[in-house]
Amino acid sequence: MRLIIRDDALAVGDYIANYISKRINEFAPTPERPFVLGLPTGSSPIPTYKALIKLVQAEKLSFKNVITFNMDEYVGLPRDHSESYHTFMFREFFSHVDIPPSQVNILDGNAEDLIAECNAYEARIKAVGGIELFLGGIGEDGHIAFNEPGSSLASRTRIKTLAFETILANARFFENDISKVPHMALTVGVATVLDSREVVIVVTGQRKSLALSKAIEEGVNHLWTLSALQMHPWALIVVDEDATAELHVKTVKYFRSIERVQDEVERTQAELKARGILKAGAADQQNSRMCTNNKNDRTS
Ligand SMILES: N[C@@H]1[C@@H](O)[C@H](O)[C@@H](COP(=O)(O)O)O[C@@H]1O
């Protein structure tokens, strides 16, 4: 697992947007081989969405050959409600980029048969070859998607009753009236997230700092479902300074040093390449080996 620390939420958004953009561009998706991207809602990913939109407007990135799967959706909230995740995603992101709406997948919280809807979602993910990169956020209790404390770490897409803390936290989007917040949601499971080839998590703000420390400094625990990421071979958490408030100083120093060393390695390689000492092909091969190693190295 890697932890990247940036000054504030905007810098976190820029970092993640550039990271995703690089991944999609390197993948070079086509209609026959689309890039499959998992996406979250919430306030934390908004700076990332804004930065991604800018990249599309600058023609540095395209979503034409990207298929998306959202993490979750409320049960029983009309699709066109201002706070449905469907409305949120089109308002904050999809309407501003070049993704064909037919390539957007969001769970239907009003489906007649909710269990069938969840099973079909898992099947759809499988049918397109699995998720390449899952971007996620977390709740204050460390939940990923709507996998509340106590969720099985082997869980798949299903119906979940929301924790009271989550209902309280989300009341800010429903005129601070908890009776207006849906009490149930459809969500991908922890195992659905872990199945994706890469996971990137955004954590900003001091209110998430306890969850962050529980998830990365302690063991894997279903009470902090983000901690399941410790089992993932290629996970990246990008946080702002505020979110590190509960981390040990040595944890912060450790992850900062890893980033510094990685930057140095890349700089040295670029220099050697520019001076012709390292052949372009060899450098690329080495880079891709490093990349492969990173995929398998939980400390990098
Ligand atoms: N189901 C969503 C989560 O997927 C999201 O990560 C969380 C955090 O929201 P925010 O980023 O607004 O703190 O909100 C909800 O609970």
Side-chain angles (χ1 to χ4, degrees):
M1 176 192 288
R2 282 208 300 153
L3 181 77
I4 296 286
I5 304 164
R6 288 294 176 268
D7 286 350
D8 52 34
L10 279 183
V12 167
D14 280 345
Y15 183 93
I16 299 178
N18 285 321
Y19 188 90
I20 292 176
S21 173
K22 193 163 172 255
R23 282 278 175 270
I24 294 176
N25 287 331
E26 278 171 359
F27 190 94
T30 60
E32 296 72 36
R33 188 173 164 270
F35 188 96
V36 185
L37 180 66
L39 292 174
T41 55
S43 47
S44 319
I46 288 181
T48 301
Y49 288 147
K50 284 197 167 43
L52 283 172
I53 292 166
K54 275 194 195 147
L55 288 170
V56 172
Q57 286 167 348
E59 295 181 9
K60 291 182 176 157
L61 173 65
S62 169
F63 282 84
K64 271 194 193 119
N65 294 318
V66 175
I67 294 180
T68 62
F69 282 89
N70 259 81
M71 291 195 132
D72 42 19
E73 177 59 286
Y74 289 118
V75 166
L77 201 62
R79 176 188 262 232
D80 59 359
H81 187 285
S82 61
E83 294 307 329
S84 80
Y85 287 171
H86 190 276
T87 302
F88 173 97
M89 285 309 298
F90 278 88
R91 183 178 63 223
E92 302 296 338
F93 189 52
F94 294 139
S95 305
H96 310 282
V97 295
D98 55 351
I99 190 165
S102 60
Q103 285 163 213
V104 168
N105 294 278
I106 304 179
L107 283 153
D108 178 1
N110 293 296
E112 236 169 75
D113 184 341
L114 293 173
I115 295 175
E117 169 67 11
C118 294
N119 294 340
Y121 205 65
E122 285 278 336
R124 240 164 32 237
I125 293 175
K126 223 183 220 165
V128 294
I131 292 175
E132 195 60 36
L133 186 156
F134 220 133
L135 174 66
I138 62 162
E140 288 169 42
D141 56 8
H143 70 240
I144 182 162
F146 265 132
N147 293 288
E148 298 285 22
S151 290
S152 163
L153 302 185
S155 53
R156 301 231 150 246
T157 305
R158 68 208 185 292
I159 311 167
K160 273 299 282 180
T161 305
L162 303 189
F164 185 63
E165 284 70 21
T166 301
I167 294 170
L168 269 184
N170 289 356
R172 66 199 148 118
F173 301 118
F174 294 86
E175 296 149 23
N176 285 316
D177 180 349
I178 59 168
S179 70
K180 291 189 178 152
V181 187
H183 288 24
M184 291 176 69
L186 302 186
T187 178
V188 295
V190 178
T192 318
V193 177
L194 293 184
D195 268 0
S196 53
R197 286 183 275 285
E198 180 172 11
V199 185
V200 178
I201 301 290
V202 50
V203 184
T204 51
Q206 194 165 352
R207 65 193 176 91
K208 305 279 178 72
S209 59
L210 180 65
L212 181 66
S213 77
K214 291 283 179 188
I216 69 173
E217 293 186 318
E218 296 187 13
V220 176
N221 187 329
H222 65 166
L223 291 182
W224 303 90
T225 51
L226 177 67
S227 66
L229 232 59
Q230 293 177 30
M231 305 292 290
H232 196 283
W234 199 10
L236 170 68
I237 305 183
V238 189
V239 310
D240 65 358
E241 282 287 343
D242 289 347
T244 67
E246 294 282 343
L247 293 183
H248 295 126
V249 174
K250 70 176 178 190
T251 306
V252 171
K253 281 189 169 164
Y254 171 72
F255 283 110
R256 281 212 161 110
S257 75
I258 290 279
E259 189 185 351
R260 226 172 15 245
V261 173
Q262 175 76 26
D263 285 351
E264 267 166 33
V265 169
E266 280 170 21
R267 235 188 342 265
T268 310
Q269 279 204 334
E271 265 171 37
L272 291 176
K273 206 166 139 185
R275 286 160 54 196
I277 296 170
L278 192 66
K279 291 235 165 62
D284 291 344
Q285 256 178 26
Q286 202 165 329
N287 266 333
S288 82
R289 260 204 305 275
M290 268 170 48
C291 229
T292 317
N293 285 343
N294 283 345
K295 283 180 202 172
N296 297 316
D297 183 354
R298 287 176 199 167
T299 62
S300 62

